[in-house]
Amino acid sequence: MPVQSKERLYPVWEAIERDIESQLGLNQLAFLSNFSPWHFHRFFKKQLSENVQDYIKRLRIEKAAYELKISNLPIIEIALEAGYESQEAFTKAFKRYMLDTPSSFRKKFKTSKKNLKTDKLFHTKGLELGLDFNEVRYKFIASFEMAFTRHFGPYENLPGPLPNSKEVLKLLDFVNFIKSNPANHKWLGVSLDDPTLSRPEKLRFDLGITIGSRYKNFPEIGYKKIESGKYIIFRARCPFKNLPKIYQTIQDDYFAVQKVQLMNQPPFEMYINPFPQKKEVPIVDIYFGVKN
């Protein structure tokens, strides 16, 4: 029986997210879902509560908004990268989604950075959550593939590989299907959206495992590549429920004070002990891509 849920859209999501700036036609995306264009349009809107064109436009604007936060690139260059032919057209679209102009939006974040006079406060905050900023390190990693299941909603609802969650159970079914041992795979999560930019119900979190190859016959599983590059890594020793606040401390406090040039790509986390024993504290490495 064909999958009749959001998971049927995994190939579509992958195509869109692999290169959000590219111009993908409705027919091309429908082909990936094995729907006719008409049925695909209806199915996509029913599952995500927005049509595919609005979905792509929103993701482009949110990616551009994140670029405004983390870089000093001219607004016109950010507009062109987002697929707009002029700064005026970009400003109009940006204001529609973010309820602010790009210049005003950027100014607010730059002002908040200036107000952070010292890093002592966020060091203390990090330690309280289970994060020691003195352990920050850099590493170059090779690209790798992951199989994943997607969760929509606040990150607090699935802050990591919760043992009895439907996402973990689905991944364990997948591991059983490929006749593998869960211990042979690294477990990881990818937070695709910035909670300060996206509505809570629109937040996307991909929980997955590393794999050596793709297995197309297993339903309700997505596949993606984590790109090679240089990463800054933060180690957290804490309950998974602390992770959303740790991300906030890293992005809004640490990066506001430290001179780190971030890549405009989603961070990901590796679970060193994904299913800790009763008295064991979870250990998580959080990766942010950085420019050389």
Side-chain angles (χ1 to χ4, degrees), residues 2-244:
V3 178
Q4 293 295 330
S5 60
K6 286 187 179 73
E7 286 80 5
R8 188 162 179 176
L9 296 172
Y10 277 127
V12 177
W13 292 333
E14 182 185 19
I16 292 172
E17 294 160 11
R18 187 169 57 242
D19 187 6
I20 189 66
E21 289 82 16
S22 64
Q23 300 296 325
L24 295 171
L26 182 63
N27 289 350
Q28 184 179 358
L29 294 174
F31 175 80
L32 294 172
S33 69
N34 291 320
F35 278 125
S36 70
W38 186 83
H39 282 96
F40 168 71
H41 181 78
R42 288 172 57 88
F43 182 79
F44 192 99
K45 187 169 184 179
K46 179 181 179 181
Q47 296 298 324
L48 297 187
S49 300
E50 58 186 331
N51 65 46
V52 65
Q53 293 89 352
D54 286 342
Y55 177 80
I56 293 173
K57 288 178 182 177
R58 177 174 61 80
L59 292 187
R60 286 175 178 169
I61 290 294
E62 289 175 357
K63 184 177 181 181
Y66 188 65
E67 188 69 52
L68 288 167
K69 282 181 63 174
I70 66 174
S71 79
N72 293 313
L73 287 176
I75 293 176
I76 183 58
E77 293 183 14
I78 296 175
L80 293 172
E81 287 182 357
Y84 292 88
E85 296 182 354
S86 69
Q87 186 167 326
E88 290 75 18
F90 173 65
T91 297
K92 183 178 180 180
F94 190 93
K95 193 170 183 179
R96 174 189 171 194
Y97 286 94
M98 307 305 296
L99 305 179
D100 203 353
T101 65
S103 57
S104 175
F105 176 88
R106 168 175 271 175
K107 185 177 181 180
K108 289 175 183 176
F109 279 98
K110 299 301 180 184
T111 302
S112 66
K113 284 187 178 184
K114 290 179 181 178
N115 292 334
L116 289 168
K117 303 290 186 183
T118 175
D119 60 2
K120 183 177 179 180
L121 180 61
F122 72 75
H123 269 280
T124 302
K125 189 190 304 184
L127 289 172
E128 291 173 351
L129 292 170
L131 176 68
D132 188 347
F133 284 111
N134 292 317
E135 296 181 331
V136 173
R137 64 196 190 278
Y138 289 85
K139 183 180 180 180
F140 184 91
I141 67 169
S143 63
F144 61 89
E145 296 276 348
M146 67 177 287
F148 68 91
T149 179
R150 177 161 293 183
H151 172 83
F152 286 90
Y155 290 138
E156 290 81 1
N157 292 354
L158 187 71
L162 304 181
N164 295 317
S165 65
K166 63 180 181 180
E167 290 82 6
V168 165
L169 296 177
K170 191 176 295 182
L171 287 167
L172 290 175
D173 285 343
F174 171 73
V175 171
N176 182 62
F177 171 78
I178 63 177
K179 297 181 173 58
S180 185
N181 185 329
N184 294 337
H185 307 268
K186 293 181 179 179
W187 288 70
L188 68 156
V190 184
S191 303
L192 286 93
D193 302 296
D194 183 337
T196 66
L197 305 176
S198 305
R199 297 196 300 274
E201 71 276 10
K202 299 293 185 181
L203 295 175
R204 301 164 295 159
F205 178 69
D206 293 342
L207 181 68
I209 58 172
T210 56
I211 55 171
S213 58
R214 299 189 173 203
Y215 303 86
K216 294 294 187 182
N217 294 328
F218 192 85
E220 303 185 18
I221 285 290
Y223 304 92
K224 68 167 58 178
K225 177 190 286 187
I226 301 296
E227 296 296 339
S228 63
K230 186 179 180 182
Y231 287 80
I232 182 172
I233 307 170
F234 302 83
R235 172 155 290 188
R237 299 176 182 87
C238 64
F240 293 136
K241 66 180 182 180
N242 286 10
L243 289 175

